[in-house]
Amino acid sequence: MATKSLASCIFCKIIKGEIPSFKLIETEKVYSFLDIGPLSKGHALIIPKYHAEKLHEVPDEYFADVLPAAKKIALALGAENYNLLQNNGRIAHQEVDHVHFHVIPKPTASDTEGLVVGWPAQKPSMDELKKLHEELLSKL
């Protein structure tokens, strides 16, 4: 399997062991560890062992272990409520330019721990949705 890394990338350095981490799960394709700036106790990261800034740049085979790792982490945490989050690009809140997934426990309904989300729902017309649907289907 081809791998790709970037010498200046903090996550690539963690994968290589050049920067210490609190490793949780490692497979041929992914590496997971505790976040050192957690939103809640047990907040973990899962990173493909292929350096790419955005999700669509990572070869599909590197995603095979992501959800099984997330599930194992959530179960180990005993998290009844949690978020699985993946951001692409600065304005979408991506801070590290290496694709990564967050497992973020949400222990209470408060805004003091865990992920806090605003959801600015829009109200497109059925015609707008139909047009978008047709456009997307033509590209899939």
Side-chain angles (χ1 to χ4, degrees):
M1 174 179 308
T3 59
K4 180 181 169 193
S5 66
L6 181 65
S8 62
C9 172
I10 190 168
F11 285 173
C12 290
K13 289 178 181 182
I14 288 171
I15 291 167
K16 292 178 187 175
E18 296 171 4
I19 294 176
S21 69
F22 293 100
K23 180 170 64 171
L24 297 172
I25 296 170
E26 182 175 13
T27 72
E28 181 185 344
K29 298 175 179 127
V30 300
Y31 187 99
S32 67
F33 55 99
L34 290 174
D35 193 313
I36 62 170
L39 296 180
S40 58
K41 183 179 178 181
H43 179 169
L45 299 172
I46 303 165
I47 55 178
K49 289 183 174 179
Y50 184 96
H51 180 83
E53 183 177 331
K54 296 188 177 171
L55 184 80
H56 64 274
E57 299 168 342
V58 177
D60 290 348
E61 64 265 22
Y62 285 88
F63 296 124
D65 292 346
V66 172
L67 289 179
K71 180 179 176 180
K72 287 177 185 176
I73 292 167
L75 288 169
L77 289 167
E80 182 178 339
N81 300 289
Y82 55 92
N83 296 94
L84 180 61
L85 176 69
Q86 198 280 318
N87 302 321
N88 291 278
R90 287 285 181 266
I91 66 171
H93 309 288
Q94 182 179 11
E95 295 296 322
V96 177
D97 293 332
H98 185 124
V99 170
H100 56 287
F101 297 79
H102 297 259
V103 178
I104 308 168
K106 185 68 174 169
T108 66
S110 76
D111 287 350
T112 60
E113 59 184 338
L115 185 64
V116 178
V117 178
W119 201 271
Q122 301 176 16
K123 296 195 182 264
S125 70
M126 285 299 130
D127 287 341
E128 290 172 312
L129 285 174
K130 181 180 178 186
K131 183 178 177 184
L132 176 60
H133 179 247
E134 290 169 356
E135 179 185 336
L136 291 174
L137 285 178
S138 74
K139 295 177 181 178
L140 290 174

